[in-house]
Structures are given as structure tokens and as C-alpha cells.
Amino acid sequence: MEIFPISLKLQQQKCLIVGGGSIAYRKAVLLQKAGAIVDVVAPEIEANLLEIVQQSSGQFLQHAFTESDLNCPYRLVIAATDVPEVNRLVFVLCEQKNLLVNSVDDIPHCRFMVPAIIDRSPLVISVASNGSSPVLSRQLRTQIETLVPQGMGALAEFSGQWRKRVKAKISNPDQRRVFWEELYASPLKEQVFAGNTETADLLMQQALDNWSIPKGEVYLVGAGPGDPELLTLKALRLMQQADVVIYDRLVSPPILDLCRRDATKIYVGKARSNHSVPQDGINALLVEYAQQGMRVCRLKGGDPFIFGRGGEEIQELFASGISFQVVPGITAASGCSAYAGIPLTHRDYAQSVRFLTGHLKEGSPELPWKELVYENQTLVLYMGLVGLERICQQLIAHGQRANMPVALISKGTTPEQKVVVGTLQDIASKVEAHQIQAPTLTIIGEVVTLREQLQWNERK
């Protein structure tokens, strides 16, 4: 994050604009809306800008900018002339005086940026790009405008009127946040939008009167194979309201960034022969935090019920009497194969697909080898990289042809995705040559040959 977004209170605060033209006018409009006293220094001034200066009880200083114009204790300064040298001078002098300064469309000479604004006062939403793409910021503002009802301002005002009473009733800030979130999901919001303030006040009072300390809950959420755009809407909603996020190694950083910023985040990642927290410890953490009344998001790569031990975790929750929800995720077999351009089934090549774990047990993969040797079938192996050579040998030994196509998909659906194709006979030798790393999904079957035609993700 290259800039730190803040919201300034400028009511009755003196601000200076250097420049008297149309650019200065646009900035003056925003400052006046924020309640600032707007001074303008310029040799000439447009009539509409002069009107804003007068309405804000500011002054028009009719002369070229000089250093003495900064003697007044201004909160911020905007350089909005069409003379780059003047704008640079304003910036240099403001820096010496530690004044916040913005030079319009001149990024190197800005200490703050003016964002694109969605105004639902008292709710204000801003979009900024560090000055690199103001047009894109305005386009995003337009999109957000359509998503934020005009009534949101009234809802923010209504909430402010009740804030002290809610705080007096519910002193714990985490519990108070839950109260507001549940309230905004209730019919009260629509009553405020419709202007039915009496009904809204009644519903608010009832909610406060009936409030009780919330019980903890656990959300078992599938985070998918890595691409954050593959998250479900429900997964995203629960991730953003959880008080605690317990996540594993396969959850990508961009996905973790979508969780609530102030949530407690606990890493319990598991790598082969290196479990930072054993499964019993994870189960205990879920129970412990939920019993404290917190909403816990157990964030797992892929789908929690496909080789994710999600069933074991919710068994523990059930035994402890803790409420839980399960949110399916796109499993690695589906997501990675799609991004690699390999359909798992195809009418001409495979009429069935089997998901298997290649995880070693006592040094050897234990799989029903005879059942796996079938021509028109796709095999998908999770966690099979370490035992890959042994798996290929066993399949060939039990009758599978040595030239059966195989694909390795490393870090599928992410920008680091790598796909290597071979056969049962030679795929193991390609792991080191191509520096294939976990997590890697293995696909065995004739459908792998379709990748040459269907690898859409690598042609973008």
C-alpha cells in the first residue's frame, strides 16, 4: 500500500487553492461540500469560483502566488494553476512548512491525493489509485455508485443517532459489531431506506431489549485452489465477518487478504512431515475460540470435504455442542484441471473420474491398484508428488499401459501455475527437470491429450 487513506474533517477549517480557473473550481466544490473555508490566490478568478469563495466565508487574494500567502495556518493547500513552475513552487514551500499539499495532475508534487468520491453523507466512499489512473478510479466510482443505495446515507445517520445507546447496552466491541451486522441484515434497513423512522426506531429498541451475548460459531470454508475469483459469495461473506481465521498452507495470500482486516489470523499450515499445528490442536482451537463467543472461520484450501479432514473437525464441533456451517469450495481437481485445459471427463475418452490421495502411509502409497487400471477413466491424485514414481510403477505393474498420458499441475489457478505433460513411463523423471513443487495435482488418463487444444488459460 503506497498511500495511507484518511478522512479529514474540514468544517470551518481554512484551506488554500492556488489558481483561479476551472481546475481550481472543481477542487473548491469538494472543499465547500466538506464545510471548509476556501481561500483562493490568483491574478484572475472565474465567477463561479469566486461565488464558492464568498459562500464559504473565504477570501480572494488577487495577486500571483508568493511565499507569504502560506503565513496563514491552512489545513491543506491545492496547487491548481496551469503553470507547472508555480505548482512546483507551492509544493516545495508547503513541504518546508509541513502543510498537506496537492498539485493537480502532478504526482511527484503531491503529499495527498484527491480520490474519486461516492457521497452518501454521512457515509463517504473514496476510490484512489495513488494518482496513477484517475480515469480508472472514476470508472470504479461509477460502478460502486450503482451498488450503494441512496438510503445508505440515511442508514448511517440513523446508526449514529443510536450509537451511544447501543454502546451503553453492549460494552464489548466485538459483541457490538455482531449486533450491528445482524441489524443491517434485518428488515430495519429497508424501513430506514423508506423513511419510516418511527418503525425503524421501534425495531431498534426491540433489538436492544432482546439482545443477549451471542454464541460462538464455526464456518468451515473451502477457499478453492488459489485464484481468489473462484471463491463463492457465501465464502467471502463469512470470511469478512469472522472474528478469528484459522487457515492452512494451501490458502493463497490474495485470498487471506480478503478476510476481515482486524480478525485474528492463526496459521496452522500442514506440509509433508511438518505440521505446524497437529490436527488435534486445530480441533481444540476451533472449540476454544467458539466457546468464547467468537465467529471462527476455518479456511481450507480447495474443498473441506475432499481430502481436507473437514469431517473430522465438525465431528469435534458437534461433540462440543458448537454451531457450524460448511461452505463448499472448488476442489483442486476441478479448478486445476480447468485452468490447465484438461476436462476430467469426455464422451470419447473418459466416462468416469476417481479422486485419490497419493499421500504416503508408512513409506508406500496404499491404493486399490487393480481397480485403477481402466482405459476410459481419469485418475486424479492429490498429494502424490513424493510417491509419483512408485505410483506410476504400480499402475504399469498392474496392467496399465506405459504410454498412458499424465499431467502434473503445480500451483494450479495461480499466476505461478506450471503444467508438465508426460506418460506413466517418463513423468517422474520430469519432476526435477522442470522444478515441479508442491502443491501439485496429478491427472492420469487419455483426457490429458486434449490439453494441446484446450489450454485457454495460457493463451490469454
Side-chain angles (χ1 to χ4, degrees):
M1 188 169 69
E2 297 181 5
I3 53 176
F4 181 68
I6 61 173
S7 299
L8 291 175
K9 288 187 175 182
L10 294 177
Q11 289 85 358
Q12 294 302 302
Q13 300 296 302
K14 288 181 72 67
C15 300
L16 177 66
I17 298 177
V18 180
S22 58
I23 298 175
Y25 170 74
R26 292 199 296 270
K27 303 306 178 186
V29 169
L30 295 175
L31 291 176
Q32 184 195 32
K33 282 186 175 181
I37 299 172
V38 183
D39 286 357
V40 171
V41 58
E44 302 292 337
I45 190 171
E46 293 186 357
N48 53 2
L49 177 55
L50 179 59
E51 184 178 352
I52 286 181
V53 171
Q54 294 169 343
Q55 289 174 351
S56 72
S57 302
Q59 300 180 69
F60 168 46
L61 309 172
Q62 191 170 12
H63 57 256
F65 171 78
T66 65
E67 183 176 358
S68 62
D69 290 316
L70 298 178
N71 290 338
C72 179
Y74 290 112
R75 283 293 184 185
L76 59 83
V77 178
I78 296 177
T81 78
D82 55 4
V83 183
E85 292 78 12
V86 174
N87 292 342
R88 282 196 291 272
L89 176 62
V90 174
F91 174 79
V92 170
L93 294 175
C94 286
E95 285 284 275
Q96 293 174 0
K97 295 178 179 291
N98 288 323
L99 279 172
L100 285 175
V101 57
N102 171 273
S103 298
V104 179
D105 291 332
D106 185 5
I107 298 173
H109 299 105
C110 290
R111 184 54 60 188
F112 74 93
M113 310 294 180
V114 179
I117 296 171
I118 299 98
D119 187 2
R120 299 288 188 270
S121 294
L123 178 67
V124 178
I125 304 168
S126 63
V127 181
S129 63
N130 197 18
S132 61
S133 183
V135 173
L136 178 60
S137 295
R138 288 194 291 269
Q139 286 185 343
L140 287 173
R141 178 195 64 192
T142 300
Q143 294 177 25
I144 295 172
E145 287 270 12
T146 64
L147 300 175
V148 183
Q150 289 291 335
M152 281 296 183
L155 183 60
E157 184 72 32
F158 176 87
S159 301
Q161 294 169 0
W162 279 88
R163 187 178 178 188
K164 287 184 178 180
R165 280 173 281 183
V166 172
K167 189 174 182 179
K169 173 78 172 183
I170 309 172
S171 59
N172 184 292
D174 292 326
Q175 295 173 1
R176 196 160 58 241
R177 183 178 59 250
V178 174
F179 172 84
W180 284 113
E181 287 175 353
E182 292 179 350
L183 198 75
Y184 294 147
S186 75
L188 178 141
K189 180 171 69 175
E190 296 301 326
Q191 295 297 327
V192 176
F193 284 0
N196 300 327
T197 54
E198 290 186 6
T199 303
D201 283 332
L202 179 61
L203 291 173
M204 187 68 172
Q205 190 60 59
Q206 289 175 348
L208 268 182
D209 291 342
N210 296 328
W211 178 85
S212 60
I213 297 176
K215 294 182 178 180
E217 186 176 16
V218 174
Y219 315 134
L220 190 62
V221 175
D227 186 344
E229 293 191 346
L230 296 180
L231 284 169
T232 65
L233 292 175
K234 186 171 185 179
L236 184 60
R237 175 172 61 83
L238 296 181
M239 286 162 57
Q240 292 179 344
Q241 74 179 37
D243 305 301
V244 179
V245 179
I246 298 176
Y247 66 101
D248 63 32
R249 181 177 63 94
L250 298 180
V251 176
S252 66
I255 289 177
L256 192 63
D257 287 343
L258 294 174
C259 295
R260 208 181 84 209
R261 186 177 302 166
D262 60 340
T264 299
K265 299 178 180 67
I266 302 172
Y267 175 68
V268 292
K270 294 182 179 181
R272 186 176 63 91
S273 302
N274 180 22
H275 295 184
S276 64
V277 179
Q279 188 61 51
D280 288 347
I282 295 173
N283 296 348
L285 281 174
L286 297 176
V287 172
E288 176 187 349
Y289 282 108
Q291 287 178 339
Q292 294 175 20
M294 295 186 181
R295 295 169 298 179
V296 184
C297 176
R298 173 66 173 110
L299 196 57
K300 304 171 76 70
D303 180 274
F305 279 3
I306 298 182
F307 304 125
R309 304 185 76 168
E312 298 175 37
E313 293 175 355
I314 63 173
Q315 280 183 304
E316 185 74 21
L317 297 173
F318 177 79
S320 301
I322 293 170
S323 298
F324 57 85
Q325 299 183 43
V326 180
V327 182
I330 293 179
T331 186
S334 179
C336 297
S337 64
Y339 274 53
I342 301 173
L344 295 180
T345 62
H346 188 285
R347 187 166 56 177
D348 297 329
Y349 298 97
Q351 289 76 53
S352 65
V353 58
R354 294 187 68 161
F355 295 172
L356 307 160
T357 175
H359 187 65
L360 297 177
K361 184 176 181 180
E362 297 179 358
S364 177
E366 293 185 357
L367 296 172
W369 302 111
K370 291 183 179 180
E371 296 177 19
L372 305 183
V373 179
Y374 181 67
E375 185 70 21
N376 295 331
Q377 174 176 256
T378 302
L379 302 179
V380 181
L381 279 88
Y382 293 68
M383 302 170 285
L385 191 60
V386 173
L388 181 62
E389 184 174 8
R390 172 70 172 162
I391 291 169
C392 293
Q393 291 173 349
Q394 285 294 322
L395 287 172
I396 294 173
H398 284 80
Q400 187 58 274
R401 55 188 172 92
N403 65 346
M404 176 63 78
V406 181
L408 302 177
I409 308 171
S410 174
K411 300 180 181 179
T413 79
T414 73
E416 294 79 36
Q417 174 175 299
K418 182 184 291 187
V419 182
V420 173
V421 174
T423 65
L424 283 176
Q425 192 168 31
D426 65 12
I427 192 65
S429 66
K430 296 186 177 186
V431 172
E432 184 175 353
H434 292 272
Q435 296 183 326
I436 298 298
Q437 299 177 347
T440 294
L441 192 81
T442 304
I443 300 178
I444 302 172
E446 199 62 35
V447 290
V448 172
T449 61
L450 295 170
R451 169 176 157 74
E452 187 173 345
Q453 304 172 37
L454 307 180
Q455 51 181 303
W456 60 273
N457 188 49
E458 294 163 39
R459 295 195 183 111
K460 291 190 297 183

